Amino acid sequence: MDAHEILKKGAELQAARHAALEPLAEVLAERLRLEKALAEIEPAYAKAYVSAEAGGWSVEELALLGAGEPAKRPRRKPKAGGKAPSPSGPAPAEIPGQAPVGTNA
């Protein structure tokens, strides 16, 4: 067998492998398209889901209808004139004559 025959045989083997990859490539491209479409519709779904809850539907009832909780809930708009509560909560009250907890004073 000369170099030309070896290369021809290698090309035939690669062609068979390439043919085996074609169905996967087509399905993968469709899957990626659908994942992108799902990501694009997710904010509208989340908003509609929260509206359904606000309209009186429970999470359990929505699940029975096939509506799972959205991956991300929409952000709430802050109330006008109100200040957002501190994430740590109010500071603990100090008792006169006692050192704060965790100190050796």
Side-chain angles (χ1 to χ4, degrees):
M1 195 180 328
D2 66 4
H4 178 70
E5 290 173 341
I6 294 170
L7 291 173
K8 183 178 176 185
K9 182 73 172 176
E12 290 171 1
L13 291 172
Q14 287 290 51
R17 291 179 66 200
H18 188 270
L21 184 60
E22 287 178 13
L24 176 60
E26 290 177 19
V27 173
L28 178 58
E30 178 68 3
R31 180 181 178 180
L32 293 172
R33 184 191 68 76
L34 291 170
E35 286 174 345
K36 181 180 178 190
L38 182 61
E40 289 172 354
I41 196 72
E42 186 65 24
Y45 178 79
K47 185 176 179 181
Y49 188 94
V50 169
S51 293
E53 281 184 305
W57 290 90
S58 71
V59 172
E60 293 79 17
E61 291 170 326
L62 292 170
L64 288 173
L65 297 172
E69 290 193 62
K72 268 185 143 176
R73 290 186 174 265
R75 291 182 178 221
R76 291 179 142 179
K77 293 181 181 178
K79 293 181 181 178
K83 183 179 175 186
S86 170
S88 63
E94 290 187 32
I95 300 172
Q98 289 188 353
V101 175
T103 64
N104 294 330

